[in-house]
């Protein structure tokens, strides 16, 4: 249940400001036992106008012609080669930055600027716009390359997105999605980039029939292969839901069908996108998923820590719940085996739809998260 925001973003090479990376606060309390589906807002890179994602038709039942590549058996994990670049990129256009620039005298600005706006966050691509997505992706990757930093991109255009919920939209069918992924991949360039591939797309397949599920998983397997073939330095991560959702073995079985166990398409998994589960719980969950997934020893996990500083609320509440806090700052230096990064995939302050319109920046919500 991913609610995407729209924000006008300037195209071309982006300069931006350098961002210091550090660790945020994170507790160790046990997680709640909710199984609520996450709902995500986004910093959307839009061609020229502010528009929500357009509605889509039903996905095609037929899978793309490309099939997942069988993965080798898992052996003892070898250390991942050190990245040439270890700092994440902050794109200079986002809703929170727009608000900070427009409200210098607001008493909340200093806190929001220092604790949220200064952090690198993911850039989402939610529109099915195959004619422009290459240039929009290239604008972000070129801006990051100019600073010697690593951008985080979210590809979010799978057909039947969000099972027709608040974030419905995406490509009209799987063949169209394959073309969109090809165009997306063409903008990656040759540098390091992290791609968060389709939040909820694997954990949330219960609304699809057998043919639709098979088609989606095959489309994701193809997408990973295309992305990594276009840029061998791209790190592609697949949807593992979160620690309060599917059983690790169940999630791993779906991930394997989606190509997440193949080095040709995957660098591992992501979890907790737009959710609130504590980092320690996600680390334990992700390791269990990776163990069940198998595949090459280099597979790892990235965790969305943007709003998990106080953990998940009880009762499965997911829509802008009170009492939440920002979590650990985005970084590749996690100090945790098999955990490749803590990322801010969901930008704190962008509403789930209760403290503002879904996906729109709420300064009061941002201040609450930043000052808790």
């Amino acid at each position: 249940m991913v609610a995407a925001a729209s924000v006008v973003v300037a195209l071309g090479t982006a300069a931006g400001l350098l961002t210091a990376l550090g660790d945020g606060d994170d507790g160790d309390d046990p997680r709640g036992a909710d199984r609520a589906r996450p709902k995500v807002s986004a910093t959307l890179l839009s061609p020229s106008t502010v528009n929500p994602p357009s509605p889509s038709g039903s996905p095609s039942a037929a899978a793309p012609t490309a099939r997942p590549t069988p993965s080798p058996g898992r052996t003892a994990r070898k250390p991942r080669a050190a990245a040439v670049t270890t700092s994440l990129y902050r794109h200079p256009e986002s809703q929170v930055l727009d608000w900070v620039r427009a409200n210098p005298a607001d008493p909340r600005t200093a806190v929001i600027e220092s604790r949220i706006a200064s952090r690198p966050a993911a850039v989402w691509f939610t529109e099915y716009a195959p004619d422009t997505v290459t240039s929009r992706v290239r604008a972000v990757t070129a801006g990051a390359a100019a600073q010697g930093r690593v951008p985080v991109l979210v590809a979010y255009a799978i057909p039947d997105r969000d099972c027709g919920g608040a974030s419905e939209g995406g490509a009209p069918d799987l063949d169209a999605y394959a073309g969109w992924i090809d165009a997306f991949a063409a903008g990656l360039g040759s540098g390091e980039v992290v791609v968060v591939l389709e939040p909820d797309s694997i954990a949330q397949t219960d609304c699809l029939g057998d043919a639709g599920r098979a088609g989606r998983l095959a489309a994701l397997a193809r997408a990973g292969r295309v992305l990594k073939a276009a840029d061998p330095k791209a790190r592609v991560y697949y949807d593992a839901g979160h620690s309060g959702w599917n059983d690790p073995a169940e999630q791993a079985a779906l991930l394997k069908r989606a190509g997440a166990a193949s080095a040709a398409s995957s660098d591992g998994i992501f979890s907790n996108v737009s959710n609130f589960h504590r980092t320690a719980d996600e680390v334990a969950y992700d390791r269990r998923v990776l163990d069940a997934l198998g595949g090459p020893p280099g597979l790892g996990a990235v965790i969305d820590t943007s709003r998990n500083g106080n953990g998940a609320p009880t009762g499965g509440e997911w829509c802008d719940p009170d009492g939440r806090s920002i979590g650990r700052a985005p970084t590749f230096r996690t100090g945790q085996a098999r955990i490749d990064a803590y990322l801010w995939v969901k930008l704190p302050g962008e509403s789930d739809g209760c403290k503002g319109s879904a996906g729109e920046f709420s300064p009061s919500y941002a201040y609450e998260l930043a000052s808790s």
Side-chain angles (χ1 to χ4, degrees), residues 1 5 16 19 28 30 34 65 78 99 101 128 139 157 170 208 212 221 243 266 268 272 284 294 304 306 338 340:
M1 299 180 182
T19 303
D28 295 318
D34 69 289
T65 55
K78 298 178 182 178
W99 184 86
R101 292 162 183 155
Y128 175 67
L208 303 174
S243 59
S266 170
N272 208 43
D304 186 354
S306 59
R338 294 163 48 169
D340 294 345

Side-chain angles (χ1 to χ4, degrees), residues 270-272 279 282-283 286 301-305 308 339 341-343:
F270 63 84
S271 72
N272 208 43
T279 302
E282 292 304 301
V283 169
D286 288 344
V302 299
I303 298 169
D304 186 354
T305 59
N308 72 346
I339 307 301
Y342 301 137
L343 303 176

Side-chain angles (χ1 to χ4, degrees), residues 284-333:
Y285 168 76
D286 288 344
R287 287 172 176 165
R288 291 178 64 194
V289 173
L290 289 168
D291 284 343
L293 179 62
L299 297 183
V302 299
I303 298 169
D304 186 354
T305 59
S306 59
R307 304 190 298 178
N308 72 346
N310 287 341
T314 59
E317 186 180 358
W318 57 265
C319 187
D320 302 333
D322 292 328
R324 301 311 100 200
S325 174
I326 57 175
R328 294 181 184 271
T331 182
F332 288 127
R333 303 179 182 92

Side-chain angles (χ1 to χ4, degrees), residues 80-120:
R80 180 186 294 275
V84 175
T85 306
T86 58
S87 294
L88 289 156
Y89 174 64
R90 189 193 70 164
H91 190 65
E93 298 293 338
S94 67
Q95 292 188 84
V96 63
L97 284 169
D98 287 346
W99 184 86
V100 165
R101 292 162 183 155
N103 297 276
D106 192 292
R108 301 166 294 183
T109 297
V111 170
I112 293 173
E113 182 175 20
S114 63
R115 302 209 68 194
I116 295 178
S118 67
R119 304 296 190 184

